[in-house]
Amino acid sequence: MEVHEVTLTVTSTPEGAARVRHQVMNEIRGWRSGIGTDGMDVAEAVAGELLANAVQHAGDGAASVTARPRGSRLRFEVRDRSSALPHARLPRTDAEDGRGLLIIAALADRHGVDHSASGKSCWAELDLSVPTPSITQPPLQRS
């Protein structure tokens, strides 16, 4: 059985987070894991939110992201040097940010935070053995 794992360093900028999100997803696609398009869309959204939170809230210094399959699950871990814990909040309706943890909670099957002496690791897991709802379908029209 082939073992897959990728770890990439993220600079603390939105551009760095976007670049690494693309890189990690390209690595996962290269694993030929059988993850469908909808599953890949969900995985990319979760990875993107974890990375965006790290660069926005963890302060200066690089962070890292690791992606690896664990049985039937795909796990993302984003490590940074900040000891500040993330917390979900209800943003104002006109706010352009503040929904990351809510999105992760809605899309991931499990998620959490692990502390370490050097900071924290925010993680999320997707269960690949169950069908993934599509996040790319257009919204329903109200009449």
Side-chain angles (χ1 to χ4, degrees), residues 41-90:
D41 290 342
V42 169
E44 187 163 5
V46 168
E49 292 300 333
L50 287 169
L51 288 162
N53 286 348
V55 301
Q56 183 175 3
H57 300 292
D60 292 335
S64 66
V65 60
T66 299
R68 69 176 159 270
R70 298 178 94 187
S72 66
R73 295 178 180 267
L74 175 61
R75 181 178 176 101
F76 292 101
E77 294 179 40
V78 175
R79 287 174 294 290
D80 61 57
R81 294 187 182 121
S82 172
S83 61
L85 294 175
H87 60 281
R89 58 189 168 108
L90 291 175

Side-chain angles (χ1 to χ4, degrees):
M1 179 168 92
E2 196 172 351
V3 176
H4 299 291
E5 181 174 307
V6 60
T7 299
L8 300 167
T9 300
V10 185
T11 57
S12 59
T13 64
E15 296 80 14
R19 184 178 63 256
V20 169
R21 184 190 77 233
H22 290 294
Q23 288 176 311
V24 77
M25 295 311 297
N26 284 337
E27 286 284 332
I28 293 169
R29 283 181 190 93
W31 296 344
R32 306 274 188 248
S33 61
I35 303 172
T37 302
D38 291 339
M40 289 299 286
D41 290 342
V42 169
E44 187 163 5
V46 168
E49 292 300 333
L50 287 169
L51 288 162
N53 286 348
V55 301
Q56 183 175 3
H57 300 292
D60 292 335
S64 66
V65 60
T66 299
R68 69 176 159 270
R70 298 178 94 187
S72 66
R73 295 178 180 267
L74 175 61
R75 181 178 176 101
F76 292 101
E77 294 179 40
V78 175
R79 287 174 294 290
D80 61 57
R81 294 187 182 121
S82 172
S83 61
L85 294 175
H87 60 281
R89 58 189 168 108
L90 291 175
R92 294 187 345 246
T93 56
D94 61 344
E96 293 189 21
D97 61 1
R99 293 171 181 82
L101 290 178
L102 298 173
I103 292 169
I104 292 167
L107 296 177
D109 295 289
R110 296 179 54 216
H111 63 94
V113 179
D114 296 328
H115 296 93
S116 71
S118 61
K120 68 179 172 300
S121 172
C122 297
W123 56 270
E125 289 183 354
L126 305 172
D127 187 346
L128 304 176
S129 68
V130 296
T132 304
S134 176
I135 62 171
T136 59
Q137 293 178 351
L140 296 174
Q141 297 290 321
R142 290 189 168 190
S143 45

